[in-house]
Amino acid sequence: MEIQELEPSSNVEQRYRLLVESIIDYAVYMLDSRGIVSSWNAGAQRFKGYASGEIIGSHFSMFYTEEDRLAGLPQHGLEMAASQGRFETEGWRVRNDGSRFWAHVIIDPIRNTDGTLTGFAKVTRDITERYESQLELDRAREALFQAQKMEAVGRLTGGVAHDFNNLMTIILISLNLAKKRDPESPVLDLIDNAIQGAERGAAMTQRMLAFSRRQPLQLEPLLVP
């Protein structure tokens, strides 16, 4: 039976390091236990715009927005990763040029053989396009909901306006008949006022019907007394 010699751990670590450094679709970098950046790969440089020489030795909180730094989110992420074994979140991050991108972030704690925390591994992915697509979808859903709501309101308005218009028609016919039957009536002025009120009500119902049917209203100048 042939016994294969195990590859030295130093070679395995070297190959792993080269693999991580070659990844460009993910920002993969290491932090010490305080959150200081200790390694930097090509993906991190691509997303965040910092060369390794510019960022190694700096605190990773510089990638967060000012609002998130003031809220203590960087330290919170490290504390959650250390206590829970992993921390995963999404949020805005800031590039070297000040622009923002929506990031999916995973922080894993790194411990030595006796369990002592020595640092963190942080993986960041730029998902701005997916985030913006989701926002567009949410806006489209909201617009559809509003359109459906307005459609329901229009149907309700149309039904009420139709019934009210029938009532106004009956009232106007009755008032005009009463006026013709007794043109010398002492309450003729009151009948005229009632007719004017009914005519305004009828005009209102026409506007309501136009709204419910989505018909354009005809605008006319009015002389305000």
Side-chain angles (χ1 to χ4, degrees):
M1 181 177 178
E2 183 180 355
I3 299 177
Q4 294 182 346
E5 183 178 353
L6 295 177
E7 185 176 4
S9 61
S10 60
N11 291 345
V12 174
E13 292 174 359
Q14 175 69 8
R15 291 170 62 180
Y16 177 74
R17 183 179 63 81
L18 292 174
L19 173 64
V20 171
E21 289 179 351
S22 67
I23 296 173
I24 62 173
D25 293 331
Y26 292 81
V28 183
Y29 54 98
M30 309 290 289
L31 309 173
D32 68 13
S33 59
R34 300 168 297 167
I36 303 299
V37 178
S38 57
S39 73
W40 197 246
N41 79 328
Q45 180 170 339
R46 176 190 172 200
F47 291 166
K48 300 178 183 291
Y50 293 94
S52 59
E54 296 177 288
I55 202 64
I56 290 179
S58 300
H59 197 272
F60 85 110
S61 60
M62 65 187 301
F63 307 135
Y64 287 69
T65 64
E66 182 179 359
E67 300 92 332
D68 287 349
R69 288 197 300 271
L70 292 174
L73 293 189
Q75 186 61 32
H76 172 73
L78 297 184
E79 291 172 354
M80 291 296 294
S83 62
Q84 303 296 326
R86 166 172 282 209
F87 178 71
E88 185 171 356
T89 189
E90 292 183 6
W92 290 112
R93 296 295 182 268
V94 181
R95 297 187 179 93
N96 189 15
D97 62 5
S99 62
R100 297 186 177 192
F101 67 98
W102 190 259
H104 175 258
V105 177
I106 298 175
I107 304 177
D108 289 305
I110 301 174
R111 301 181 184 276
N112 58 22
T113 55
D114 65 3
T116 302
L117 180 69
T118 60
F120 300 90
K122 194 167 187 288
V123 180
T124 302
R125 185 159 59 103
D126 184 350
I127 57 170
T128 306
E129 185 175 348
R130 189 184 78 183
Y131 174 73
E132 291 177 345
S133 297
Q134 184 62 48
L135 287 181
E136 287 295 330
L137 180 59
D138 291 342
R139 282 193 285 265
R141 286 173 175 167
E142 178 63 22
L144 176 60
F145 171 74
Q146 293 297 332
Q148 291 173 335
K149 185 167 68 173
M150 291 302 295
E151 182 70 23
V153 171
R155 288 196 296 268
L156 176 61
T157 302
V160 172
H162 185 269
D163 292 341
F164 191 66
N165 188 61
N166 290 339
L167 292 174
M168 287 295 98
T169 300
I170 294 172
I171 292 172
L172 279 170
I173 291 173
S174 299
L175 289 172
N176 280 302
L177 287 174
K179 182 178 180 180
K180 289 178 180 179
R181 287 182 180 180
D182 189 3
E184 303 299 328
S185 172
V187 295
L188 191 61
D189 290 342
L190 297 177
I191 294 176
D192 287 337
N193 289 337
I195 290 174
Q196 292 177 7
E199 288 174 343
R200 292 193 186 99
M204 183 185 301
T205 60
Q206 291 303 315
R207 290 194 291 271
M208 292 171 67
L209 286 169
F211 166 75
S212 65
R213 296 167 183 167
R214 298 182 180 178
Q215 296 173 344
L217 296 176
Q218 183 177 358
L219 300 180
E220 297 180 353
L222 295 177
L223 178 60
V224 179

